Amino acid sequence: MNLDFGAIQKLIEASERCDLSELIVEYDGVKIEIRRDKKRNFTDLPVSTPISIPSLPSVQNEKVVVPEVSREEKKMDEYDNKYYKVISPLVGVFYRSPWPGANPFVDAGDKVSVGQTLCIVEAMKLMNEITTEVSGTVVKILPKNEDVVQNGDVLFLIDPA
Amino acid sequence: MDSISRACNEPVLVKKFSENLDTEFIGKNIIFFPRVKSTNLIAKKEGENMQNGTVLLADYQSAGRGRRNKEWFSPGGQGLWISIIIKNPDIKLNILPVVNILLSVVITKSIINISNKQIKIKWPNDLIYNNKKVCGLLSETFKISQHTILISGIGVNTGKNILFPEEISLKAGSIELEGDRQRELLLKDILETFERSYKLLIKSDFQKILKEYKEYSLTLNKNIEIIEPEGIRIPARVIDIGSYGELVVKTFNGQRRNIYTGEEILQKINAGAS
């Protein structure tokens, strides 16, 4: 079966059912990447157009390789054990900088020390500065600027080493 | 303190005002600044070393700031420009944003009580009078040396004939109080009512406050537009205010969403206060 619009749509639906944030299908030198942003509707998702793509397996009939997702999950397991997680204490909008146009509080790779502000989470005009309780290196910043984050979401991974 | 402006030269008046407040901790320490960049800025720098409930009061702010560093016009003698400092609030961080909902109700009631001006609240906490914004709130919280500090910045335009900068002149208004005496009464009423309501909040009695908030709301049951990060606007109707003060909306294609910041929505209020 050729990879037409219907097949891509099925892939998208499958990624939604399994609540995947990323789905990568690689076959015969052609790569389709589907990324889901929780804030957006499906119709807004950037999807590669099927123009001039050779035949690819359908979702139902043939083996679909999704190596990146499982690798990502494995990475998260490693993060759980190895890195300090900075958790959002409330629901709100995540800001990487103190105000629009200002430099971010931190970037991935930056050294941080205890008490340093990492971001702001805003709800109902309460600007909540989130600080780190460990010193170390920022390994990963998980939400994007202005994403809505939930109470308990991991915001930063910090390597305390 | 029969005049906030005079008080800069007569600190004893501030002390007398503070002593006459019917509160346990809010405003028991008031620090007056005839001129300051921003009371919130001072509170952030020095709040750790100030006693719980300290109120910073300015006659003039040269760099008053609102949300995300927007300028807050704070001319001398023309408003109440204050910051209230609460150390280690007895409220879990995940529900702390309701303090701003509470404050907007408190200030609305105080203004009505003192001046009989009919104030409404545009979500989350802009106070509107005659279709113009007359009061703004900005709270900030952060941790420092094991303390959690909550700073609530309040700006109420009270003067008559305030010359607002052109870019905000269509949106900004004033409750136009009768002189310093009425301004002082308003401050007293706000601080006393805030402490009483704050104690209710600690007892988890937020439902009463939320009920009052809904009564004053200009946003509940109104049509708005949701602004997506890409700039796309989606028409929606506000169907409720959630238990944390968030906006519960239903888009016109039936999708239900919760909204947490004013930047996510556009609500037109006649003259365009936003």
Side-chain angles (χ1 to χ4, degrees):
Chain A
M1 183 181 165
N2 288 342
L3 187 86
D4 55 12
F5 181 73
I8 294 176
Q9 205 161 23
K10 280 174 186 166
L11 283 174
I12 295 171
E13 286 164 7
S15 72
E16 185 195 19
R17 268 199 310 278
C18 304
D19 198 29
L20 303 176
S21 58
E22 192 177 56
L23 175 66
I24 300 175
V25 180
E26 223 171 337
Y27 183 79
D28 205 13
V30 177
K31 192 175 181 184
I32 305 284
E33 297 186 11
I34 298 169
R35 290 196 182 83
R36 292 176 58 234
D37 182 336
K38 284 176 188 173
K39 279 180 80 174
R40 298 180 187 178
N41 294 325
F42 265 172
T43 49
D44 300 324
L45 283 170
V47 179
S48 313
T49 55
I51 300 163
S52 70
I53 294 175
S55 63
L56 275 175
S58 72
V59 181
Q60 296 95 331
N61 302 332
E62 299 187 37
K63 191 181 167 192
V64 177
V65 188
V66 285
E68 296 297 326
V69 173
S70 52
R71 205 176 294 155
E72 187 67 23
E73 281 167 3
K74 197 178 161 196
K75 272 188 202 163
M76 282 309 292
D77 282 346
E78 287 170 14
Y79 287 145
D80 282 351
N81 299 329
K82 197 173 168 187
Y83 300 128
Y84 174 79
K85 289 188 279 189
V86 179
I87 308 281
S88 178
L90 75 169
V91 185
V93 178
F94 173 84
Y95 296 111
R96 287 193 55 199
S97 59
W99 54 80
N103 288 332
F105 291 107
V106 289
D107 281 309
D110 282 0
K111 299 267 185 206
V112 292
S113 48
V114 175
Q116 188 172 332
T117 301
L118 302 177
C119 67
I120 288 172
V121 176
E122 178 194 5
M124 277 77 78
K125 277 198 196 167
L126 179 105
M127 314 303 283
N128 190 345
E129 286 188 8
I130 311 284
T131 52
T132 173
E133 290 176 13
V134 300
S135 298
T137 307
V138 178
V139 174
K140 190 167 177 149
I141 303 168
L142 285 98
K144 289 200 298 293
N145 193 43
E146 298 190 14
D147 272 359
V148 173
V149 295
Q150 303 297 318
N151 182 8
D153 276 1
V154 179
L155 306 177
F156 296 85
L157 294 172
I158 293 176
D159 186 350
Chain B
M1 189 174 69
D2 58 357
S3 158
I4 291 168
S5 304
R6 269 179 58 206
C8 56
N9 299 317
E10 299 177 52
V12 67
L13 294 178
V14 177
K15 194 166 181 292
K16 194 177 159 201
F17 174 84
S18 183
E19 283 168 359
N20 287 337
L21 273 180
D22 183 17
T23 59
E24 279 176 20
F25 70 104
I26 299 285
K28 284 299 161 193
N29 179 36
I30 296 181
I31 304 172
F32 180 83
F33 300 88
R35 181 193 170 99
V36 72
K37 273 190 174 177
S38 136
T39 54
N40 261 31
L41 210 62
I42 300 278
K44 277 190 87 171
K45 278 186 184 166
E46 309 290 342
E48 184 194 359
N49 303 315
M50 292 175 182
Q51 76 180 59
N52 189 25
T54 293
V55 172
L56 307 185
L57 170 67
D59 190 56
Y60 167 72
Q61 291 188 117
S62 61
R65 283 287 174 267
R67 189 185 164 282
R68 304 293 285 154
N69 215 34
K70 282 181 191 163
E71 187 186 347
W72 181 266
F73 183 60
S74 329
Q78 301 293 308
L80 274 183
W81 325 125
I82 64 176
S83 294
I84 303 172
I85 298 165
I86 295 182
K87 292 170 89 168
N88 301 316
D90 298 314
I91 302 168
K92 282 184 184 165
L93 207 50
N94 65 329
I95 60 164
L96 204 51
V98 302
V99 167
N100 276 354
I101 297 293
L102 179 150
L103 263 172
S104 57
V105 172
V106 163
I107 300 168
T108 296
K109 286 167 73 175
S110 290
I111 293 173
I112 293 171
N113 187 24
I114 299 299
S115 70
N116 207 25
K117 304 267 165 53
Q118 293 311 300
I119 305 291
K120 290 284 181 183
I121 306 169
K122 178 173 172 259
W123 186 88
N125 47 37
D126 286 349
L127 269 52
I128 306 293
Y129 174 62
N130 281 346
N131 300 323
K132 292 189 172 185
K133 180 169 168 175
V134 294
C135 169
L137 296 173
L138 178 74
S139 290
E140 300 177 72
T141 181
F142 56 94
K143 271 190 175 174
I144 188 160
S145 313
Q146 308 304 317
H147 291 296
T148 298
I149 312 278
L150 169 69
I151 298 166
S152 289
I154 301 167
V156 192
N157 302 330
T158 62
K160 291 186 172 180
N161 307 314
I162 301 177
L163 283 173
F164 290 106
E166 198 181 336
E167 61 272 21
I168 59 166
S169 60
L170 288 176
K171 299 176 177 179
S174 171
I175 55 172
E176 300 192 350
L177 293 183
E178 297 296 334
D180 287 339
R181 175 65 188 153
Q182 215 176 22
R183 190 161 51 133
E184 186 188 316
L185 287 174
L186 178 64
L187 177 62
K188 181 173 160 62
D189 202 273
I190 288 172
L191 298 180
E192 290 176 350
T193 316
F194 176 57
E195 185 175 288
R196 283 198 298 275
S197 304
Y198 179 77
K199 286 178 178 170
L200 281 179
L201 184 63
I202 292 171
K203 289 182 193 162
S204 303
D205 195 3
F206 184 55
Q207 290 312 309
K208 182 174 175 282
I209 296 157
L210 197 59
K211 187 172 172 285
E212 286 182 312
Y213 180 85
K214 288 179 183 179
E215 284 167 11
Y216 293 120
S217 176
L218 257 188
T219 309
L220 185 59
N221 299 321
K222 296 280 168 39
N223 293 336
I224 57 154
E225 287 181 316
I226 301 169
I227 305 168
E228 296 285 39
E230 304 84 359
I232 299 165
R233 292 180 181 183
I234 300 173
R237 186 161 183 87
V238 178
I239 56 171
D240 201 4
I241 310 287
S243 51
Y244 295 143
E246 75 277 18
L247 216 52
V248 183
V249 304
K250 201 170 187 179
T251 62
F252 286 167
N253 62 12
Q255 193 192 9
R256 198 181 154 108
R257 283 173 67 166
N258 289 357
I259 307 276
Y260 297 93
T261 81
E263 292 299 284
E264 292 177 82
I265 66 157
L266 186 71
Q267 183 187 7
K268 288 183 179 158
I269 298 177
N270 299 345
S274 66

